[in-house]
Amino acid sequence: RFGGEEFVIILPGQDRSTAKSVADKLRRAVFNGQFQRTESQPGGHLTISIGVATYPGDAEDLTILLNRSDLALYASKRAGRDRTIAYDDNMQEMEAEHLKVMQAKKSRRRRRKRRSKPRLNLVDPT
């Protein structure tokens, strides 16, 4: 589990084509699966959106690899959900935009943490 509703699946030694194929197979299995309360989901099915990025093809650094798979996930959601999209170099503009948003969120969290620290009121007893 990587986030609230986000998961990371690592496929050591697999290329982009295989990783995308595995992701599509997982996506179809969820769509066709029998889950409780699926009738309340749009279209009556539970769906997932998947972003794929590969090492070392898309990134040679773990942080960049995770950011690029996350970016591909957001591209999948923007394209209509219930799909698999692999990172490609055409996403660099979107990547810069995404990094700005993530930095802003991080900055807001820091400010909230600073404000939420308990304050000590020291009273001079004399």
Side-chain angles (χ1 to χ4, degrees):
R1 184 173 216 127
F2 188 66
E5 296 177 349
E6 295 179 355
F7 296 84
V8 172
I9 298 173
I10 299 171
L11 303 169
Q14 303 305 310
D15 62 6
R16 174 192 305 271
S17 175
T18 302
K20 195 164 186 297
S21 175
V22 169
D24 274 332
K25 186 175 180 181
L26 175 62
R27 186 184 55 77
R28 284 191 306 273
V30 169
F31 183 86
N32 293 320
Q34 300 297 314
F35 301 98
Q36 293 179 357
R37 296 187 293 265
T38 55
E39 66 280 352
S40 66
Q41 297 298 314
H45 294 278
L46 183 63
T47 64
I48 59 175
S49 299
I50 301 176
V52 174
T54 59
Y55 171 88
D58 296 319
E60 292 189 11
D61 172 85
L62 176 60
T63 302
I64 294 171
L65 180 66
L66 288 172
N67 285 339
R68 288 182 174 171
S69 65
D70 197 40
L71 187 64
L73 167 64
Y74 283 107
S76 178
K77 289 179 177 183
R78 284 183 185 176
R81 301 179 182 253
D82 188 32
R83 62 193 69 223
T84 302
I85 293 183
Y87 176 84
D88 69 42
D89 290 333
N90 295 329
M91 294 180 178
Q92 287 180 350
E93 184 177 312
M94 193 166 57
E95 185 172 16
E97 199 178 296
H98 183 67
L99 287 174
K100 285 180 189 175
V101 169
M102 297 308 288
Q103 288 170 342
K105 283 182 181 179
K106 189 185 266 187
S107 179
R108 282 194 301 269
R109 280 192 298 253
R110 281 190 199 130
R111 283 194 301 268
R112 261 189 256 131
K113 278 185 178 181
R114 272 190 243 131
R115 275 188 255 142
S116 67
K117 288 182 181 176
R119 303 202 186 270
L120 295 176
N121 291 326
L122 299 176
V123 179
D124 187 0
T126 58

